[in-house]
Amino acid sequence: MAERPVRFKPPTNELRKGNQVVGYTDRVYSLEGNTDTFAEILVKGDLSGRLQYNEHTIRIVRVDTIIGLEFGSQGPRGPVWKGVECEVFR
């Protein structure tokens, strides 16, 4: 018997609020425990309140660094949040 629920959609790096994509994580994370930390989020919308991330409900608790415009190997992008701690709701 399966211990985890069956997923029909492949996991993505999208953060959603309602049906709208409001951010992208730097990679796909498997959320374990009551809190987890994303290394980096590319912000595209309102990240306040409860968000959906791969069939989990999360809430951002703390951000270490907020960068308005970051220049990297792929060119400029932003805003970028780094060291984002989230509360995971089960």
Side-chain angles (χ1 to χ4, degrees), residues 9-76:
K9 291 191 282 185
T12 68
N13 66 336
E14 296 177 342
L15 287 166
R16 294 183 166 272
K17 190 172 193 177
N19 292 328
Q20 187 176 19
V21 176
V22 293
Y24 297 95
T25 59
D26 57 316
R27 63 182 177 88
V28 176
Y29 290 85
S30 60
L31 301 178
E32 303 291 334
N34 294 330
T35 62
D36 214 328
T37 302
F38 299 126
E40 187 174 285
I41 293 178
L42 178 63
V43 179
K44 294 294 184 183
D46 180 16
L47 294 177
S48 65
R50 292 187 179 214
L51 306 169
Q52 296 298 316
Y53 182 74
N54 290 332
E55 300 177 11
H56 294 282
T57 302
I58 64 169
R59 182 177 63 90
I60 295 176
V61 177
R62 184 178 59 84
V63 179
D64 285 341
T65 307
I66 298 175
I67 301 171
L69 184 62
E70 179 179 59
F71 293 91
S73 61
Q74 298 176 346

